[in-house]
Amino acid sequence: MAKKKIDFSGVETYERAPEGTHVAKIVTVEETTFQSGSEGFKVAFEITKGAGKGARVYENYPLVDTALWKLKTLLEAIKIKCDGRIMLDTDKMIGKLCEIEVAHEEYDGKTRAR
């Protein structure tokens, strides 16, 4: 058996967010290209109080006509103008608070919070 020295200093322990409605802040917004080829954003939320405080929840926001309602709902919740054509500065999303609804789902045989 091989021995390997590993430094876990500063590494957070993963905690799945409990199902339900939570107050959360946006901690990251990452531009990405999804497997489907569409562009969009991966957003990480961190629960700020109550059950699951500190747990992170991740959601995808593809920039396709049939899914733009989802991003619009988020932008409205964090009070960012989203009528007509806009230039979205994702940096202004960081730190904004909103309520998120967390549900658990199975994906590739694992339970995850969405």
Side-chain angles (χ1 to χ4, degrees), residues 20-63:
T21 302
H22 303 278
V23 174
K25 70 178 173 182
I26 296 174
V27 290
T28 62
V29 179
E30 176 186 333
E31 287 187 67
T32 190
T33 300
F34 297 105
Q35 290 179 348
S36 65
S38 63
E39 294 182 1
F41 303 107
K42 290 183 179 182
V43 178
F45 300 88
E46 184 176 296
I47 296 175
T48 59
K49 61 183 175 180
K53 180 179 179 180
R56 290 201 175 180
V57 178
Y58 301 87
E59 190 59 60
N60 296 329
Y61 294 86
L63 298 177

mmCIF file of all heavy atoms in Angstrom, residues 20-63:
data_model
loop_
_atom_site.group_PDB
_atom_site.id
_atom_site.type_symbol
_atom_site.label_atom_id
_atom_site.label_comp_id
_atom_site.label_asym_id
_atom_site.label_seq_id
_atom_site.Cartn_x
_atom_site.Cartn_y
_atom_site.Cartn_z
ATOM 1 N N GLY A 20 -36.175 22.161 0.677
ATOM 2 C CA GLY A 20 -37.007 23.232 1.203
ATOM 3 C C GLY A 20 -36.572 24.584 0.685
ATOM 4 O O GLY A 20 -35.701 24.695 -0.176
ATOM 5 N N THR A 21 -37.193 25.641 1.221
ATOM 6 C CA THR A 21 -36.888 27.012 0.828
ATOM 7 C C THR A 21 -35.823 27.574 1.764
ATOM 8 O O THR A 21 -35.928 27.417 2.986
ATOM 9 C CB THR A 21 -38.161 27.880 0.890
ATOM 10 O OG1 THR A 21 -39.150 27.296 0.038
ATOM 11 C CG2 THR A 21 -37.881 29.302 0.439
ATOM 12 N N HIS A 22 -34.817 28.217 1.179
ATOM 13 C CA HIS A 22 -33.690 28.749 1.951
ATOM 14 C C HIS A 22 -33.306 30.134 1.447
ATOM 15 O O HIS A 22 -33.443 30.424 0.259
ATOM 16 C CB HIS A 22 -32.457 27.852 1.815
ATOM 17 C CG HIS A 22 -32.676 26.440 2.219
ATOM 18 N ND1 HIS A 22 -32.626 26.036 3.526
ATOM 19 C CD2 HIS A 22 -32.955 25.333 1.488
ATOM 20 C CE1 HIS A 22 -32.867 24.730 3.586
ATOM 21 N NE2 HIS A 22 -33.067 24.285 2.361
ATOM 22 N N VAL A 23 -32.787 30.959 2.352
ATOM 23 C CA VAL A 23 -32.166 32.218 1.953
ATOM 24 C C VAL A 23 -30.723 31.878 1.587
ATOM 25 O O VAL A 23 -30.030 31.188 2.333
ATOM 26 C CB VAL A 23 -32.200 33.267 3.086
ATOM 27 C CG1 VAL A 23 -31.420 34.512 2.684
ATOM 28 C CG2 VAL A 23 -33.634 33.616 3.431
ATOM 29 N N ALA A 24 -30.301 32.351 0.409
ATOM 30 C CA ALA A 24 -28.955 32.029 -0.063
ATOM 31 C C ALA A 24 -28.355 33.239 -0.756
ATOM 32 O O ALA A 24 -29.061 34.136 -1.209
ATOM 33 C CB ALA A 24 -29.018 30.852 -1.022
ATOM 34 N N LYS A 25 -27.027 33.246 -0.823
ATOM 35 C CA LYS A 25 -26.346 34.295 -1.575
ATOM 36 C C LYS A 25 -25.614 33.639 -2.740
ATOM 37 O O LYS A 25 -25.194 32.479 -2.665
ATOM 38 C CB LYS A 25 -25.374 35.092 -0.713
ATOM 39 C CG LYS A 25 -24.137 34.340 -0.274
ATOM 40 C CD LYS A 25 -23.206 35.219 0.534
ATOM 41 C CE LYS A 25 -22.064 34.385 1.090
ATOM 42 N NZ LYS A 25 -21.171 35.174 1.909
ATOM 43 N N ILE A 26 -25.471 34.404 -3.806
ATOM 44 C CA ILE A 26 -24.747 33.914 -4.968
ATOM 45 C C ILE A 26 -23.257 34.084 -4.680
ATOM 46 O O ILE A 26 -22.806 35.169 -4.337
ATOM 47 C CB ILE A 26 -25.155 34.693 -6.232
ATOM 48 C CG1 ILE A 26 -26.641 34.446 -6.521
ATOM 49 C CG2 ILE A 26 -24.272 34.307 -7.416
ATOM 50 C CD1 ILE A 26 -27.212 35.275 -7.655
ATOM 51 N N VAL A 27 -22.500 32.986 -4.797
ATOM 52 C CA VAL A 27 -21.069 33.046 -4.506
ATOM 53 C C VAL A 27 -20.208 32.980 -5.758
ATOM 54 O O VAL A 27 -19.093 33.516 -5.768
ATOM 55 C CB VAL A 27 -20.634 31.981 -3.475
ATOM 56 C CG1 VAL A 27 -21.180 32.311 -2.104
ATOM 57 C CG2 VAL A 27 -21.048 30.593 -3.886
ATOM 58 N N THR A 28 -20.684 32.323 -6.815
ATOM 59 C CA THR A 28 -19.951 32.308 -8.084
ATOM 60 C C THR A 28 -20.933 32.268 -9.247
ATOM 61 O O THR A 28 -22.008 31.695 -9.147
ATOM 62 C CB THR A 28 -18.989 31.104 -8.230
ATOM 63 O OG1 THR A 28 -19.738 29.891 -8.206
ATOM 64 C CG2 THR A 28 -17.927 31.082 -7.145
ATOM 65 N N VAL A 29 -20.521 32.897 -10.344
ATOM 66 C CA VAL A 29 -21.243 32.819 -11.611
ATOM 67 C C VAL A 29 -20.183 32.536 -12.666
ATOM 68 O O VAL A 29 -19.290 33.357 -12.880
ATOM 69 C CB VAL A 29 -21.994 34.120 -11.956
ATOM 70 C CG1 VAL A 29 -22.712 33.981 -13.289
ATOM 71 C CG2 VAL A 29 -22.977 34.488 -10.847
ATOM 72 N N GLU A 30 -20.270 31.373 -13.278
ATOM 73 C CA GLU A 30 -19.254 30.942 -14.239
ATOM 74 C C GLU A 30 -19.868 30.795 -15.624
ATOM 75 O O GLU A 30 -20.868 30.093 -15.784
ATOM 76 C CB GLU A 30 -18.682 29.603 -13.768
ATOM 77 C CG GLU A 30 -17.689 28.976 -14.686
ATOM 78 C CD GLU A 30 -17.283 27.576 -14.218
ATOM 79 O OE1 GLU A 30 -17.347 27.296 -13.006
ATOM 80 O OE2 GLU A 30 -16.929 26.768 -15.085
ATOM 81 N N GLU A 31 -19.286 31.463 -16.605
ATOM 82 C CA GLU A 31 -19.727 31.271 -17.985
ATOM 83 C C GLU A 31 -19.248 29.900 -18.437
ATOM 84 O O GLU A 31 -18.121 29.490 -18.123
ATOM 85 C CB GLU A 31 -19.152 32.337 -18.900
ATOM 86 C CG GLU A 31 -19.792 33.692 -18.712
ATOM 87 C CD GLU A 31 -19.314 34.694 -19.750
ATOM 88 O OE1 GLU A 31 -19.641 34.515 -20.934
ATOM 89 O OE2 GLU A 31 -18.612 35.624 -19.343
ATOM 90 N N THR A 32 -20.096 29.176 -19.179
ATOM 91 C CA THR A 32 -19.737 27.827 -19.590
ATOM 92 C C THR A 32 -20.420 27.453 -20.897
ATOM 93 O O THR A 32 -21.362 28.116 -21.319
ATOM 94 C CB THR A 32 -20.105 26.812 -18.479
ATOM 95 O OG1 THR A 32 -19.538 25.549 -18.788
ATOM 96 C CG2 THR A 32 -21.611 26.671 -18.333
ATOM 97 N N THR A 33 -19.946 26.394 -21.495
ATOM 98 C CA THR A 33 -20.616 25.759 -22.623
ATOM 99 C C THR A 33 -21.045 24.385 -22.127
ATOM 100 O O THR A 33 -20.210 23.588 -21.670
ATOM 101 C CB THR A 33 -19.676 25.624 -23.837
ATOM 102 O OG1 THR A 33 -19.241 26.926 -24.225
ATOM 103 C CG2 THR A 33 -20.395 24.970 -25.007
ATOM 104 N N PHE A 34 -22.328 24.123 -22.185
ATOM 105 C CA PHE A 34 -22.873 22.863 -21.703
ATOM 106 C C PHE A 34 -22.648 21.739 -22.716
ATOM 107 O O PHE A 34 -22.309 22.004 -23.876
ATOM 108 C CB PHE A 34 -24.368 23.016 -21.391
ATOM 109 C CG PHE A 34 -24.635 24.004 -20.288
ATOM 110 C CD1 PHE A 34 -25.146 25.261 -20.578
ATOM 111 C CD2 PHE A 34 -24.357 23.693 -18.969
ATOM 112 C CE1 PHE A 34 -25.385 26.178 -19.579
ATOM 113 C CE2 PHE A 34 -24.587 24.609 -17.954
ATOM 114 C CZ PHE A 34 -25.102 25.849 -18.263
ATOM 115 N N GLN A 35 -22.854 20.499 -22.294
ATOM 116 C CA GLN A 35 -22.687 19.339 -23.173
ATOM 117 C C GLN A 35 -23.544 19.453 -24.425
ATOM 118 O O GLN A 35 -23.174 18.953 -25.481
ATOM 119 C CB GLN A 35 -23.018 18.043 -22.436
ATOM 120 C CG GLN A 35 -22.003 17.667 -21.390
ATOM 121 C CD GLN A 35 -22.371 16.392 -20.651
ATOM 122 O OE1 GLN A 35 -23.479 15.889 -20.758
ATOM 123 N NE2 GLN A 35 -21.429 15.866 -19.884
ATOM 124 N N SER A 36 -24.666 20.133 -24.328
ATOM 125 C CA SER A 36 -25.573 20.297 -25.468
ATOM 126 C C SER A 36 -24.989 21.247 -26.515
ATOM 127 O O SER A 36 -25.508 21.344 -27.621
ATOM 128 C CB SER A 36 -26.910 20.860 -24.988
ATOM 129 O OG SER A 36 -26.725 22.170 -24.467
ATOM 130 N N GLY A 37 -23.939 21.981 -26.139
ATOM 131 C CA GLY A 37 -23.342 22.956 -27.033
ATOM 132 C C GLY A 37 -23.825 24.370 -26.777
ATOM 133 O O GLY A 37 -23.261 25.326 -27.303
ATOM 134 N N SER A 38 -24.878 24.509 -25.968
ATOM 135 C CA SER A 38 -25.394 25.848 -25.667
ATOM 136 C C SER A 38 -24.522 26.525 -24.610
ATOM 137 O O SER A 38 -23.922 25.867 -23.766
ATOM 138 C CB SER A 38 -26.849 25.788 -25.198
ATOM 139 O OG SER A 38 -26.948 25.073 -23.991
ATOM 140 N N GLU A 39 -24.466 27.850 -24.695
ATOM 141 C CA GLU A 39 -23.723 28.628 -23.710
ATOM 142 C C GLU A 39 -24.648 28.986 -22.560
ATOM 143 O O GLU A 39 -25.871 28.940 -22.695
ATOM 144 C CB GLU A 39 -23.161 29.888 -24.347
ATOM 145 C CG GLU A 39 -22.108 29.603 -25.395
ATOM 146 C CD GLU A 39 -21.518 30.855 -25.994
ATOM 147 O OE1 GLU A 39 -21.903 31.975 -25.592
ATOM 148 O OE2 GLU A 39 -20.655 30.710 -26.870
ATOM 149 N N GLY A 40 -24.066 29.355 -21.441
ATOM 150 C CA GLY A 40 -24.870 29.746 -20.298
ATOM 151 C C GLY A 40 -24.008 29.981 -19.074
ATOM 152 O O GLY A 40 -22.803 30.209 -19.189
ATOM 153 N N PHE A 41 -24.655 29.901 -17.920
ATOM 154 C CA PHE A 41 -23.988 30.168 -16.654
ATOM 155 C C PHE A 41 -24.207 29.019 -15.676
ATOM 156 O O PHE A 41 -25.287 28.435 -15.630
ATOM 157 C CB PHE A 41 -24.537 31.443 -16.005
ATOM 158 C CG PHE A 41 -24.416 32.656 -16.874
ATOM 159 C CD1 PHE A 41 -25.539 33.199 -17.480
ATOM 160 C CD2 PHE A 41 -23.188 33.261 -17.088
ATOM 161 C CE1 PHE A 41 -25.443 34.325 -18.275
ATOM 162 C CE2 PHE A 41 -23.081 34.388 -17.882
ATOM 163 C CZ PHE A 41 -24.206 34.920 -18.493
ATOM 164 N N LYS A 42 -23.171 28.737 -14.894
ATOM 165 C CA LYS A 42 -23.283 27.847 -13.738
ATOM 166 C C LYS A 42 -23.219 28.764 -12.527
ATOM 167 O O LYS A 42 -22.263 29.528 -12.375
ATOM 168 C CB LYS A 42 -22.135 26.852 -13.684
ATOM 169 C CG LYS A 42 -22.185 25.805 -14.757
ATOM 170 C CD LYS A 42 -21.039 24.832 -14.576
ATOM 171 C CE LYS A 42 -21.100 23.753 -15.631
ATOM 172 N NZ LYS A 42 -20.034 22.764 -15.447
ATOM 173 N N VAL A 43 -24.241 28.702 -11.685
ATOM 174 C CA VAL A 43 -24.323 29.591 -10.526
ATOM 175 C C VAL A 43 -24.253 28.750 -9.253
ATOM 176 O O VAL A 43 -24.935 27.734 -9.132
ATOM 177 C CB VAL A 43 -25.631 30.418 -10.552
ATOM 178 C CG1 VAL A 43 -25.738 31.294 -9.317
ATOM 179 C CG2 VAL A 43 -25.697 31.263 -11.823
ATOM 180 N N ALA A 44 -23.417 29.189 -8.315
ATOM 181 C CA ALA A 44 -23.318 28.547 -7.009
ATOM 182 C C ALA A 44 -23.951 29.457 -5.967
ATOM 183 O O ALA A 44 -23.640 30.644 -5.904
ATOM 184 C CB ALA A 44 -21.864 28.267 -6.647
ATOM 185 N N PHE A 45 -24.856 28.886 -5.190
ATOM 186 C CA PHE A 45 -25.528 29.583 -4.095
ATOM 187 C C PHE A 45 -25.033 28.990 -2.779
ATOM 188 O O PHE A 45 -24.787 27.785 -2.699
ATOM 189 C CB PHE A 45 -27.045 29.364 -4.162
ATOM 190 C CG PHE A 45 -27.699 29.851 -5.416
ATOM 191 C CD1 PHE A 45 -27.794 29.028 -6.536
ATOM 192 C CD2 PHE A 45 -28.245 31.122 -5.486
ATOM 193 C CE1 PHE A 45 -28.415 29.465 -7.694
ATOM 194 C CE2 PHE A 45 -28.875 31.567 -6.638
ATOM 195 C CZ PHE A 45 -28.960 30.735 -7.745
ATOM 196 N N GLU A 46 -24.927 29.815 -1.754
ATOM 197 C CA GLU A 46 -24.585 29.325 -0.420
ATOM 198 C C GLU A 46 -25.697 29.711 0.537
ATOM 199 O O GLU A 46 -26.066 30.892 0.630
ATOM 200 C CB GLU A 46 -23.264 29.929 0.052
ATOM 201 C CG GLU A 46 -22.818 29.370 1.396
ATOM 202 C CD GLU A 46 -21.460 29.911 1.801
ATOM 203 O OE1 GLU A 46 -20.479 29.620 1.097
ATOM 204 O OE2 GLU A 46 -21.407 30.633 2.818
ATOM 205 N N ILE A 47 -26.226 28.725 1.244
ATOM 206 C CA ILE A 47 -27.297 28.979 2.204
ATOM 207 C C ILE A 47 -26.723 29.794 3.358
ATOM 208 O O ILE A 47 -25.667 29.465 3.899
ATOM 209 C CB ILE A 47 -27.924 27.664 2.687
ATOM 210 C CG1 ILE A 47 -28.590 26.958 1.497
ATOM 211 C CG2 ILE A 47 -28.923 27.905 3.813
ATOM 212 C CD1 ILE A 47 -29.142 25.592 1.790
ATOM 213 N N THR A 48 -27.420 30.887 3.711
ATOM 214 C CA THR A 48 -26.857 31.843 4.673
ATOM 215 C C THR A 48 -27.387 31.712 6.096
ATOM 216 O O THR A 48 -26.803 32.296 7.006
ATOM 217 C CB THR A 48 -27.098 33.284 4.201
ATOM 218 O OG1 THR A 48 -28.504 33.509 4.064
ATOM 219 C CG2 THR A 48 -26.392 33.560 2.881
ATOM 220 N N LYS A 49 -28.499 31.009 6.269
ATOM 221 C CA LYS A 49 -29.009 30.854 7.639
ATOM 222 C C LYS A 49 -29.940 29.659 7.714
ATOM 223 O O LYS A 49 -30.413 29.150 6.702
ATOM 224 C CB LYS A 49 -29.704 32.120 8.122
ATOM 225 C CG LYS A 49 -30.899 32.554 7.313
ATOM 226 C CD LYS A 49 -31.449 33.871 7.875
ATOM 227 C CE LYS A 49 -32.568 34.396 7.007
ATOM 228 N NZ LYS A 49 -33.113 35.647 7.509
ATOM 229 N N GLY A 50 -30.195 29.245 8.942
ATOM 230 C CA GLY A 50 -31.111 28.131 9.163
ATOM 231 C C GLY A 50 -30.489 26.788 8.836
ATOM 232 O O GLY A 50 -29.278 26.645 8.766
ATOM 233 N N ALA A 51 -31.368 25.801 8.626
ATOM 234 C CA ALA A 51 -30.916 24.447 8.310
ATOM 235 C C ALA A 51 -30.085 24.483 7.036
ATOM 236 O O ALA A 51 -30.464 25.090 6.050
ATOM 237 C CB ALA A 51 -32.114 23.532 8.131
ATOM 238 N N GLY A 52 -28.935 23.888 7.093
ATOM 239 C CA GLY A 52 -28.077 23.842 5.918
ATOM 240 C C GLY A 52 -27.170 25.038 5.748
ATOM 241 O O GLY A 52 -26.524 25.181 4.705
ATOM 242 N N LYS A 53 -27.102 25.916 6.746
ATOM 243 C CA LYS A 53 -26.256 27.106 6.628
ATOM 244 C C LYS A 53 -24.851 26.695 6.197
ATOM 245 O O LYS A 53 -24.251 25.793 6.768
ATOM 246 C CB LYS A 53 -26.193 27.861 7.956
ATOM 247 C CG LYS A 53 -25.337 29.110 7.885
ATOM 248 C CD LYS A 53 -25.307 29.861 9.187
ATOM 249 C CE LYS A 53 -24.409 31.091 9.057
ATOM 250 N NZ LYS A 53 -24.365 31.848 10.297
ATOM 251 N N GLY A 54 -24.356 27.370 5.149
ATOM 252 C CA GLY A 54 -23.023 27.078 4.631
ATOM 253 C C GLY A 54 -23.008 26.081 3.485
ATOM 254 O O GLY A 54 -22.024 25.993 2.756
ATOM 255 N N ALA A 55 -24.093 25.329 3.320
ATOM 256 C CA ALA A 55 -24.158 24.355 2.221
ATOM 257 C C ALA A 55 -24.297 25.086 0.900
ATOM 258 O O ALA A 55 -24.887 26.162 0.824
ATOM 259 C CB ALA A 55 -25.331 23.398 2.426
ATOM 260 N N ARG A 56 -23.748 24.507 -0.137
ATOM 261 C CA ARG A 56 -23.824 25.109 -1.469
ATOM 262 C C ARG A 56 -24.767 24.323 -2.366
ATOM 263 O O ARG A 56 -24.858 23.103 -2.273
ATOM 264 C CB ARG A 56 -22.451 25.185 -2.104
ATOM 265 C CG ARG A 56 -21.593 26.218 -1.380
ATOM 266 C CD ARG A 56 -20.476 26.682 -2.216
ATOM 267 N NE ARG A 56 -19.770 27.763 -1.507
ATOM 268 C CZ ARG A 56 -18.734 28.377 -1.995
ATOM 269 N NH1 ARG A 56 -18.264 28.060 -3.178
ATOM 270 N NH2 ARG A 56 -18.154 29.347 -1.308
ATOM 271 N N VAL A 57 -25.428 25.076 -3.233
ATOM 272 C CA VAL A 57 -26.348 24.508 -4.219
ATOM 273 C C VAL A 57 -25.945 25.095 -5.567
ATOM 274 O O VAL A 57 -25.670 26.293 -5.672
ATOM 275 C CB VAL A 57 -27.818 24.868 -3.897
ATOM 276 C CG1 VAL A 57 -28.762 24.317 -4.943
ATOM 277 C CG2 VAL A 57 -28.193 24.365 -2.508
ATOM 278 N N TYR A 58 -25.925 24.248 -6.583
ATOM 279 C CA TYR A 58 -25.489 24.675 -7.916
ATOM 280 C C TYR A 58 -26.645 24.556 -8.890
ATOM 281 O O TYR A 58 -27.421 23.605 -8.837
ATOM 282 C CB TYR A 58 -24.316 23.803 -8.389
ATOM 283 C CG TYR A 58 -23.144 23.888 -7.446
ATOM 284 C CD1 TYR A 58 -23.037 23.045 -6.337
ATOM 285 C CD2 TYR A 58 -22.156 24.841 -7.625
ATOM 286 C CE1 TYR A 58 -21.978 23.136 -5.459
ATOM 287 C CE2 TYR A 58 -21.084 24.942 -6.745
ATOM 288 C CZ TYR A 58 -21.003 24.088 -5.668
ATOM 289 O OH TYR A 58 -19.952 24.178 -4.787
ATOM 290 N N GLU A 59 -26.748 25.546 -9.778
ATOM 291 C CA GLU A 59 -27.813 25.531 -10.790
ATOM 292 C C GLU A 59 -27.246 26.031 -12.111
ATOM 293 O O GLU A 59 -26.390 26.912 -12.135
ATOM 294 C CB GLU A 59 -28.989 26.399 -10.338
ATOM 295 C CG GLU A 59 -30.213 26.257 -11.196
ATOM 296 C CD GLU A 59 -30.746 24.824 -11.260
ATOM 297 O OE1 GLU A 59 -31.102 24.264 -10.214
ATOM 298 O OE2 GLU A 59 -30.790 24.272 -12.376
ATOM 299 N N ASN A 60 -27.739 25.441 -13.194
ATOM 300 C CA ASN A 60 -27.332 25.832 -14.541
ATOM 301 C C ASN A 60 -28.392 26.714 -15.176
ATOM 302 O O ASN A 60 -29.588 26.478 -15.006
ATOM 303 C CB ASN A 60 -27.126 24.592 -15.414
ATOM 304 C CG ASN A 60 -25.998 23.715 -14.914
ATOM 305 O OD1 ASN A 60 -25.035 24.199 -14.339
ATOM 306 N ND2 ASN A 60 -26.106 22.422 -15.126
ATOM 307 N N TYR A 61 -27.925 27.700 -15.923
ATOM 308 C CA TYR A 61 -28.801 28.633 -16.622
ATOM 309 C C TYR A 61 -28.380 28.714 -18.092
ATOM 310 O O TYR A 61 -27.577 29.569 -18.474
ATOM 311 C CB TYR A 61 -28.739 30.023 -15.962
ATOM 312 C CG TYR A 61 -29.296 30.016 -14.562
ATOM 313 C CD1 TYR A 61 -28.498 29.686 -13.474
ATOM 314 C CD2 TYR A 61 -30.627 30.302 -14.335
ATOM 315 C CE1 TYR A 61 -29.012 29.651 -12.185
ATOM 316 C CE2 TYR A 61 -31.148 30.281 -13.045
ATOM 317 C CZ TYR A 61 -30.337 29.950 -11.979
ATOM 318 O OH TYR A 61 -30.857 29.920 -10.714
ATOM 319 N N PRO A 62 -28.906 27.793 -18.929
ATOM 320 C CA PRO A 62 -28.545 27.841 -20.353
ATOM 321 C C PRO A 62 -29.176 29.046 -21.044
ATOM 322 O O PRO A 62 -30.298 29.446 -20.725
ATOM 323 C CB PRO A 62 -29.101 26.530 -20.917
ATOM 324 C CG PRO A 62 -30.011 25.980 -19.888
ATOM 325 C CD PRO A 62 -29.763 26.675 -18.593
ATOM 326 N N LEU A 63 -28.432 29.627 -21.983
ATOM 327 C CA LEU A 63 -28.915 30.802 -22.710
ATOM 328 C C LEU A 63 -29.577 30.355 -24.015
ATOM 329 O O LEU A 63 -29.085 30.636 -25.103
ATOM 330 C CB LEU A 63 -27.765 31.773 -22.973
ATOM 331 C CG LEU A 63 -27.096 32.339 -21.721
ATOM 332 C CD1 LEU A 63 -25.921 33.221 -22.088
ATOM 333 C CD2 LEU A 63 -28.106 33.093 -20.870
#
